[in-house]
C-alpha cells in the first residue's frame, strides 16, 4: 500500500487536509481511497469540522477461505479457489424459494395431493441462486461535527455521519440438491432436483458474498464533560447508529452487529491527592 497526505492552512480560521491511499491485495483489484477534511474555528475554543472519506474493506482470510462442514450446513468462504471442488455457486436454489416451495408442498399434501403431484405442482417456485464470488466492500462517508469549550468548564463534542456502501459484505444461505442439476437445459426446474428437497437429499451452504444493492448507515454522537473545582469531572456520552439494506434480497444476512444506542456516564478526579485518583463509570448498550 501507499499513502500521501497534504495539509493547507487556508487562513487563521480554516484548515484543510487531504490524502489519497492505494492498496493492492493478491486476490482483488487495487483501490485508490481519497479523503478530505476541513476544520473551521468559529471563535476561540469553538470548532466546526467536516469531512468526506472513501474507504474499502478487503474480506478477511476467513471470509475468503473458511470451509467448515457443520453438519446440516457448510460455511464456505467466497473466493473461487475455495470452492473449485464444489458446484454450489453454479448449482443451488435460494433459501427463500426453498422455503416457499416447502410451504406449498406441505399444503398440497394436506389437500390430498400425492407426493409426486405435490412436488410437480409447486416445483416452479424453486429459483436458482445467483451468488457472486466475494470482493472488497467500498464505502463513502460524509461527516460534520462540532467541538467546543463553554466558560472553560463544559466541553461539547457532537457529530453526525452518513455512510453509503457498495458491495457490502454479507452472507447468503443456499440449498444444493445432491446429485442433480437444479435446472434442465431448457431453463425449467429439474424435477429430480425438486424431489431432492422434501426427501432431504440436499445440503445447505452459507456463502460469503456482497450485497447486490447499495447499503447505507448513519449515526450521531454527543459527548459532554463538565469540569468542577479541584479537578473533578462529570461526563456523559451517547452514540446512535443504524443501517438500511434498502432493496435487499430476502436471503441477504448482514454482518452489521453494532448496537443501535450506547450510553455512558463517568465521574472522577485524576488527582484527589498527590498519589490518589479515581474514576467511576456506567455504560449501557
Amino acid at each position: 500500500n501507499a499513502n500521501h497526505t497534504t495539509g493547507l492552512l487556508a487562513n487563521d480560521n480554516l484548515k484543510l487536509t487531504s490524502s489519497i491511499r492505494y492498496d493492492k491485495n493478491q486476490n482483488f483489484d487495487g483501490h485508490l481511497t481519497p479523503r478530505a477534511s476541513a476544520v473551521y474555528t468559529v471563535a476561540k475554543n469553538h470548532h466546526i469540522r467536516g469531512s468526506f472519506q472513501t474507504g474499502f474493506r478487503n474480506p478477511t482470510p476467513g471470509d475468503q477461505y473458511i470451509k467448515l462442514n457443520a453438519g446440516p450446513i457448510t460455511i464456505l468462504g467466497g473466493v473461487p479457489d475455495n470452492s473449485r471442488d464444489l458446484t454450489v455457486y453454479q448449482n443451488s436454489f435460494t433459501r427463500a424459494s426453498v422455503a416457499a416451495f416447502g410451504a406449498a408442498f406441505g399444503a398440497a399434501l394436506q389437500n390430498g395431493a400425492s407426493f409426486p403431484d405435490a412436488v410437480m405442482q409447486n416445483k416452479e417456485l424453486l429459483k436458482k441462486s445467483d451468488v457472486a464470488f466475494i470482493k472488497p466492500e467500498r464505502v463513502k462517508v460524509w461527516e460534520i461535527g462540532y467541538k467546543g469549550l463553554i466558560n472553560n468548564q463544559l466541553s461539547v463534542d457532537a457529530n453526525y455521519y452518513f455512510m453509503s456502501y457498495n458491495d457490502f459484505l454479507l452472507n447468503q444461505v443456499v440449498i444444493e440438491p445432491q446429485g442433480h442439476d437444479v435446472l434442465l437445459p431448457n431453463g425449467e426446474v429439474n424435477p429430480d432436483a425438486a424431489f431432492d428437497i422434501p426427501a432431504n437429499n440436499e445440503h445447505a451452504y452459507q456463502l460469503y458474498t456482497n450485497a447486490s444493492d447499495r447499503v447505507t448507515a448513519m449515526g450521531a454522537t454527543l459527548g459532554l464533560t463538565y469540569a468542577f473545582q479541584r479537578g473533578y469531572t462529570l461526563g456523559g456520552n451517547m452514540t446512535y447508529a443504524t443501517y438500511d439494506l434498502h432493496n435487499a434480497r430476502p436471503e441477504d444476512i448482514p454482518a452489521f452487529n453494532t448496537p443501535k444506542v450506547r450510553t455512558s456516564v463517568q465521574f472522577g478526579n485524576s488527582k484527589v491527592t498527590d498519589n490518589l485518583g479515581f474514576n467511576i463509570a456506567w455504560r449501557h448498550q
Side-chain angles (χ1 to χ4, degrees), residues 57-66 76-79 82 134 169 208:
R57 179 162 68 104
N58 278 329
T60 67
D63 296 343
Q64 298 178 54
Y65 289 110
I66 189 171
L76 189 65
V79 292
N82 198 44
I134 202 166
L169 293 171
Y208 284 79

Side-chain angles (χ1 to χ4, degrees), residues 172-198:
Q172 281 193 35
V173 174
V174 298
I175 311 297
E176 182 178 31
Q178 299 297 285
H180 297 108
D181 293 334
V182 296
L183 299 181
L184 297 171
N186 63 4
E188 294 181 358
V189 174
N190 184 352
D192 290 334
F195 275 101
D196 284 337
I197 303 301

